[in-house]
Amino acid sequence: MFLILDGNGPQYAQLTRAMRTAILDGRIRAGSRLPATRELAQQLELSRTTVLAAYEQLRAESFIEARVGSGSYVAKLQIGQPPHQIERSITPPSRYAHRARGIQDRKIARTHQGLRYNLQYGNPLLNPALNEAWGRELARAATYTPTSAVSSQGSLPLREQVCEYLARRRGVQALPENVLIVSGTQQAISLTARVLLNEGDPVVIEEPHYFGAYQALVSHGARVCAVPVDEDGLLCAALPKPSPSLICVTPSHQFPTGVAMSLPRRLELLRHAEAQRCWILEDDYDGEFRYDAQPLAALRSLDQHDRVIYVGTFSKVLFGSLRLAYIVLPVALRDDFINAKFLSDFSCPGIAQAALAHFMESGGFERHLRLARKELKARRDELIRGLQQHAGQRVEVVDSPAGMHVVAWLPGYDHAQAQQLIDLAHERGLGLYSMAPHYIHAPSRPGLMLGYCGLSIQELREAMQLFGRCLDEIDMQIANESVEPRQRCGVK
């Protein structure tokens, strides 16, 4: 009898699972006689006691039956078809599942894994010293944190630290009772949709936009209206009338273009929200990082009528795997959001919250931000210098001294040629990311989002040299393609 033990737990339990699986998938047929316990023990090089215990468990579960004087037999169960024949695709069980199936790509920002030079955006700075400090904080928190569940709203010490940090860094005055700890920005968007939107309700997003927000809202059933962004941010004059109940913006560092919403445009948006009695979701995903001046004050800091739902995240400044973020809630929505969080996953992990609260209280978080800002500025400068040196006029770099990625437009290329560039770069070990997935309607010209957090300055220098060579190859292909038709027509 061919059985593979999985190595998890006692050997009798492993044997029980292996035989149970073999019976269910038909490899051991109903009614067949099983080997004697001594014989099976010799075949599998196990003790007879182990086999006896497994047989007894299978008898208790009615998978096998004993016949006096004859041995053990597989029971005749109504198992149905083997698992490998079970239908894998069924009609979506809900309208939500049907809409979510329409999302073809959940890994838009993860398409170039394993490359030597991956200019992936969205990941925080790699900092070995931070890893060590965070390990100490987790060990401390595991020792001192109570084992009871944390409040659905989040631990009070962490909410207090968030309030102090926002007042100091983002100009936001908040009370701990109006802060909700959530599992990342994506959950914040999902909870906002649950609380504010019914199926078919309109919602405004920026064009271009964060694809994760678009996917969450469409899956929820919202009717998305994309409003263009210019050099001053969201075009408030283009907001639909009557206004939707929710407007989603990234005012401090628009994702993905990088522009900052001007003060007149911010005030105009706040006046619109007050006049139309609608809500603004402010996604401040990387507002901590600005390299030409102090970080801009958040839109929430200007809100005098409590219409802004402010979202900040620790995943972008610490670790991508640290799924902790926070929402500063309007008082009118506070209880509804806490209820939605409770019904979603009860609460975020208590040990991680305790570790983060102490890390912020001890000053470790601020020290990391200062070092990260200095290092990211140096990497951004190197990336832009490399683009200017090796790409020259073939790219148009957006001047946005903030965030963790650079936008480079390709004005002399069409979308097909830009995709050829991305594919060629991938073959050469360079990961490039298109701007196109962040538009509902394709932009008039192709562009690239180039992240610089994951590569050292030397690696960025080498990556830009490789980028220039890839552009040269694409230019040569384009030139050859333009010559061939002329030759076929006899044009010299």
Side-chain angles (χ1 to χ4, degrees):
M1 181 179 294
F2 182 75
L3 297 169
I4 298 178
L5 307 189
D6 57 25
N8 296 322
Q11 286 187 324
Y12 85 88
Q14 296 180 47
L15 180 57
T16 302
R17 287 194 295 272
M19 294 186 68
R20 186 190 298 123
T21 300
I23 292 170
L24 288 172
D25 66 19
R27 286 185 287 121
I28 304 178
R29 291 177 295 178
S32 62
R33 184 177 182 275
L34 296 175
T37 55
R38 194 182 306 277
E39 177 185 351
L40 185 58
Q42 291 175 348
Q43 291 179 12
L44 301 179
E45 298 182 351
L46 300 172
S47 71
R48 184 168 179 246
T49 303
T50 296
V51 178
L52 281 169
Y55 275 30
E56 285 299 323
Q57 181 63 34
L58 290 169
R59 287 193 194 98
E61 296 177 3
S62 299
F63 280 93
I64 66 176
E65 54 190 27
R67 300 178 186 176
V68 178
S70 180
S72 297
Y73 291 80
V74 177
K76 294 183 179 180
L77 305 173
Q78 297 295 324
I79 297 174
Q81 57 185 345
H84 65 274
Q85 296 179 0
I86 293 176
E87 184 180 4
R88 298 299 182 187
S89 179
I90 62 173
T91 301
S94 70
R95 291 191 297 274
Y96 176 88
H98 176 75
R99 292 187 295 267
R101 285 188 183 186
I103 298 173
Q104 298 299 320
D105 192 353
R106 296 189 299 273
K107 300 179 181 179
I108 293 173
R110 302 287 189 272
T111 54
H112 297 298
Q113 300 303 297
L115 299 186
R116 183 177 182 183
Y117 306 109
N118 188 2
L119 296 175
Q120 181 175 324
Y121 58 91
N123 280 353
L125 176 72
L126 298 177
N127 181 359
L130 175 62
N131 295 352
E132 296 177 6
W134 183 247
R136 291 192 296 270
E137 292 293 352
L138 283 176
R140 180 186 183 279
T143 302
Y144 295 105
T145 303
T147 56
S148 56
V150 180
S151 163
S152 299
Q153 190 172 358
S155 74
L156 180 58
L158 179 56
R159 287 185 281 125
E160 290 174 339
Q161 289 301 318
V162 166
C163 291
E164 291 183 17
Y165 166 74
L166 290 177
R168 186 170 59 251
R169 280 267 185 171
R170 309 299 295 122
V172 174
Q173 301 296 323
L175 298 174
E177 55 263 36
N178 296 330
V179 174
L180 174 65
I181 304 300
V182 294
S183 299
T185 300
Q186 198 67 17
Q187 186 179 51
I189 296 170
S190 179
L191 294 179
T192 302
R194 291 188 187 187
V195 170
L196 296 180
L197 302 174
N198 294 313
E199 288 181 307
D201 283 353
V203 58
V204 165
I205 64 172
E206 298 165 315
E207 177 77 339
H209 51 266
Y210 168 50
F211 65 86
Y214 172 79
Q215 292 174 344
L217 293 168
V218 169
S219 297
H220 182 77
R223 184 159 47 86
V224 172
C225 173
V227 173
V229 170
D230 65 9
E231 64 274 8
D232 288 322
L234 186 77
L235 277 168
C236 296
L239 288 170
K241 301 284 176 56
S243 178
S245 59
L246 179 63
I247 301 171
C248 302
V249 291
T250 50
S252 295
H253 185 232
Q254 200 278 331
F255 188 90
T257 64
V259 302
M261 185 180 288
S262 65
L263 180 59
R265 196 69 62 81
R266 291 175 182 232
L267 296 176
E268 183 182 0
L269 179 59
L270 290 171
R271 287 194 296 269
H272 175 91
E274 171 59 17
Q276 299 294 321
R277 308 304 295 169
C278 63
W279 304 99
I280 300 170
L281 176 66
E282 178 182 9
D283 180 4
D284 196 18
Y285 66 100
D286 65 356
E288 292 84 357
F289 298 125
R290 191 169 186 87
Y291 312 120
D292 62 344
Q294 290 298 315
L296 298 176
L299 180 67
R300 169 82 189 190
S301 68
L302 303 172
D303 180 20
Q304 298 181 346
H305 301 285
D306 211 19
R307 308 303 302 180
V308 176
I309 304 163
Y310 177 87
V311 179
T313 179
F314 295 107
S315 300
K316 290 289 185 290
V317 294
L318 292 175
F319 310 99
S321 60
L322 178 64
R323 305 310 303 161
L324 286 179
Y326 51 90
I327 311 176
V328 178
L329 295 164
V331 174
L333 300 176
R334 179 180 58 204
D335 292 343
D336 292 324
F337 268 82
I338 295 173
N339 287 339
K341 170 64 176 175
F342 172 82
L343 294 172
S344 175
D345 61 4
F346 190 72
S347 67
C348 296
I351 292 177
Q353 291 189 61
L356 182 54
H358 186 264
F359 188 51
M360 297 178 76
E361 182 183 14
S362 67
F365 184 61
E366 288 284 352
R367 288 192 294 272
H368 165 68
L369 285 181
R370 288 194 296 270
L371 292 173
R373 182 175 178 271
K374 181 179 179 181
E375 178 62 25
L376 288 176
K377 182 181 185 302
R379 296 188 187 191
R380 176 186 176 275
D381 291 345
E382 182 59 43
L383 176 66
I384 294 176
R385 186 161 45 246
L387 286 170
Q388 293 170 343
Q389 180 179 353
H390 300 289
Q393 299 300 314
R394 293 177 292 182
V395 301
E396 180 182 315
V397 179
V398 177
D399 184 15
S400 175
M404 297 181 288
H405 72 269
V406 165
V407 173
W409 295 104
L410 301 168
Y413 304 85
D414 60 30
H415 289 281
Q417 292 163 346
Q419 188 58 51
Q420 289 175 1
L421 172 64
I422 293 172
D423 295 340
L424 176 64
H426 183 93
E427 294 175 5
R428 302 291 189 267
L430 174 64
L432 303 177
Y433 294 84
S434 171
M435 285 281 285
H438 305 284
Y439 285 80
I440 294 179
H441 306 291
S444 58
R445 56 180 176 170
L448 300 172
M449 291 181 63
L450 307 176
Y452 47 82
C453 290
L455 299 180
S456 66
I457 289 179
Q458 179 59 35
E459 288 171 330
L460 286 167
R461 188 174 297 125
E462 296 168 0
M464 289 302 95
Q465 293 172 356
L466 179 55
F467 178 66
R469 292 197 296 270
C470 290
L471 273 176
D472 292 340
E473 288 192 46
I474 293 298
D475 289 345
M476 187 175 299
Q477 291 179 19
I478 294 172
N480 291 337
E481 290 170 0
S482 65
V483 168
E484 289 177 2
R486 292 167 59 85
Q487 291 176 339
R488 287 197 298 268
C489 295
V491 178
K492 295 182 179 181

